Amino acid sequence: MTPMIKLQGVTKKFGGEPVVKQVDLEIEKGSTFALLGPNGVGKTTLVRMMLSFSRPTSGVIMINGVPAMRPEARKSTGYLAEQHLIPPHLSGQEYLRRTAALLGLSRERTSEEMKRVLSLCRMTDKGHVSAAKYSKGMRQRIGLAAAIMGSPELLILDEPVSGLDPVGIKEMRIILENMQRSGTTIMLNSHILSEVEKICDTVAIMDKGQILVKGLLRDIVPENESLEDVFVRYVGIDHE
Amino acid sequence: MNKLWIILSDTLQDQLKRKSFYVLLTLSVLIVLTLRGCYNVNYTVNNQTIDPASIARHASLFAFHLITVSVLLMAVLLSMRMFQNDRQDGTMIMYMSRPISRWQYGFGRVAGVWLLTSLFMFCLHATIFAIAWAKSGEILYGYLVASVICTINIFFVILLTSLLSFFMPGFICAMTVTALVTVGFLSDGGLRIANSQIVKSMLTHPSTQAPSIWRIFYPKLLMVQQYAATFFNRDNFQAIGPVHPVVNVFLYSLALLIVFLLVVDRQEV
């Protein structure tokens, strides 16, 4: 079966300095994958390359069998950034309507989807408010609503719970679990290892631009240890 | 094509939400209202009253150039920070994380501002056309065609501003484009004055030197305006150099468009 995400020898250099070094990675369809690592090791750069925001210096990235730089690769992909920005002159509803138009949803489907995602993200009564008035948490919620619009096959989340309160984090987890059950492939970057343990089935630990270990969570984390213990063992406690 | 239209339509909506657009709109309406006064006056030269049709033609010619230049400046102001703002407020990510080609995004944004400013200019020209008709009974056939021809100048200016805005801050970019356009206007305007019959008759030894190469191949925005004006002004048009000004600006726009799309394609989002 074609993997949902496939990276082969991906390297990214900024000013001659490699930030991501020869990364090979495959993420299977339907899995919930977490990319873990300390700050500044290249996780976000990797995600940005998957979404074609940035070109790899070398290597190949395929999304569902399509080169990542081609628009079709993002046909069924939802994305939530760590600090999701919503143009301040738009309301949440306008932002979602534009997202639906870009996804090519019909008018009826747009209306249904808007209701569904706003309700899921508890933003129904705030949808008409200008994004300039949103708090960080509200922007994340609208960002998530846009990401899950049209029920994408692949959901890429960069620090998704950043800025959310504990209730928001729990709601986010429920949404992700529902998407997981419907077969969506989820790829997330996160620092909150306890959340990763609850949601993900596959993890990779990254350090200094390289993947140190990748596998099923149950294979990587021994029964008497936590993910945090394993993480610290790989990247070291005095990393920064 | 559908995605391109979506981005173009989004751009129109975005620009219509900007305060600066309405400031420029108000200023333009005030200018047009002021110009209206030119049609109400009886002019007398050497004790002879000038016929209203002639007044209307001259006043409309002045208004035509004034509006066209003002809209060029407006286009620079609207596009100088468009891509920087898109990057900062999340608009660029909104498009790029969806199945949109980079050329669709870049061209859609530029085309949106082009369409808006062109429509804006057309409306102002149409107002002058209507005023001239109402006040003097003179129908300036070709006035609106001339307006459409000048939209190529707007396209050139928006492309140049958008391209430079990837490499320099918005304000400096606007100043650079304004300076480049002004040099062209002064160069072509100077040549036209030097070649006019009045100036030639005043000089004992009029210059017979051909204009330098850079003046011939420099973007001919003013010449496009002057060529467009011949559609209603009954003047003869003489191009400088072997290339027609419309072709000159078209070729520059095409080259700019190619470079602009390449730059957009290489951008880090």
Side-chain angles (χ1 to χ4, degrees), chain A residues 3-215:
Chain A
M4 182 54 87
I5 299 176
K6 186 176 181 180
L7 285 82
Q8 267 182 321
V10 173
T11 297
K12 178 71 184 179
K13 291 180 183 174
F14 287 115
E17 278 296 306
V19 178
V20 173
K21 299 173 199 163
Q22 287 290 323
V23 168
D24 294 310
L25 182 68
E26 281 191 15
I27 301 174
E28 297 305 321
K29 281 182 183 167
S31 64
T32 304
F33 176 89
L35 185 60
L36 310 173
N39 288 329
V41 298
K43 301 190 305 292
T44 298
T45 305
L46 211 55
V47 165
R48 286 169 50 77
M49 287 192 286
M50 288 173 191
L51 288 154
S52 84
F53 294 169
S54 178
R55 281 173 190 271
T57 308
S58 62
V60 179
I61 302 176
M62 306 289 272
I63 306 290
N64 207 4
V66 179
M69 286 308 289
R70 283 175 47 186
E72 304 90 84
R74 300 180 296 281
K75 206 171 167 183
S76 190
T77 304
Y79 168 63
L80 175 67
E82 180 179 1
Q83 293 190 337
H84 204 85
L85 294 169
I86 299 180
H89 57 278
L90 298 180
S91 68
Q93 283 174 347
E94 286 169 326
Y95 182 71
L96 293 176
R97 199 167 289 122
R98 284 193 180 186
T99 302
L102 295 171
L103 288 170
L105 302 187
S106 67
R107 197 167 285 183
E108 297 79 38
R109 179 94 196 277
T110 298
S111 173
E112 286 167 19
E113 280 292 285
M114 278 177 61
K115 271 185 202 159
R116 182 181 76 86
V117 297
L118 281 170
S119 157
L120 269 176
C121 298
R122 283 208 306 131
M123 287 294 286
T124 306
D125 55 341
K126 299 279 193 315
H128 63 282
V129 176
S130 161
K133 293 178 183 164
Y134 284 163
S135 66
K136 191 183 172 196
M138 285 158 85
R139 281 202 302 272
Q140 288 302 107
R141 283 168 190 274
I142 288 292
L144 179 66
I148 62 175
M149 204 157 196
S151 305
E153 290 173 42
L154 171 64
L155 196 55
I156 298 179
L157 311 165
D158 193 1
E159 299 290 351
V161 294
S162 163
L164 293 181
D165 54 31
V167 177
I169 293 174
K170 187 165 185 186
E171 284 166 354
M172 169 81 78
R173 196 194 317 139
I174 293 167
I175 292 169
L176 295 184
E177 281 167 354
N178 284 336
M179 301 225 38
Q180 204 175 16
R181 274 194 287 275
S182 65
T184 306
T185 308
I186 299 170
M187 192 236 152
L188 60 96
N189 274 353
S190 184
H191 281 123
I192 305 184
L193 301 179
S194 56
E195 283 303 313
V196 169
E197 274 186 306
K198 285 176 193 160
I199 302 168
C200 298
D201 51 34
T202 319
V203 295
I205 298 175
M206 198 175 173
D207 194 20
K208 293 171 187 158
Q210 289 175 311
I211 303 274
L212 303 179
V213 62
K214 188 231 159 185

Side-chain angles (χ1 to χ4, degrees), chain A residues 12 48 52-55 71 74-75 77 85-90 94-95 98-99 101-103 146-147, chain B residues 3 6 10 13-14 17 88-91 93-102 265-269:
Chain A
K12 178 71 184 179
R48 286 169 50 77
S52 84
F53 294 169
S54 178
R55 281 173 190 271
R74 300 180 296 281
K75 206 171 167 183
T77 304
L85 294 169
I86 299 180
H89 57 278
L90 298 180
E94 286 169 326
Y95 182 71
R98 284 193 180 186
T99 302
L102 295 171
L103 288 170
Chain B
K3 299 274 165 70
I6 290 169
D10 288 352
Q13 289 172 37
D14 290 346
K17 285 184 177 180
Q88 285 163 9
D89 70 13
T91 304
I93 282 189
M94 178 180 78
Y95 289 121
M96 293 301 168
S97 60
R98 299 296 165 191
I100 300 288
S101 304
R102 290 191 171 210
D265 194 54
R266 294 276 176 274
Q267 281 297 305
E268 296 267 326
V269 176

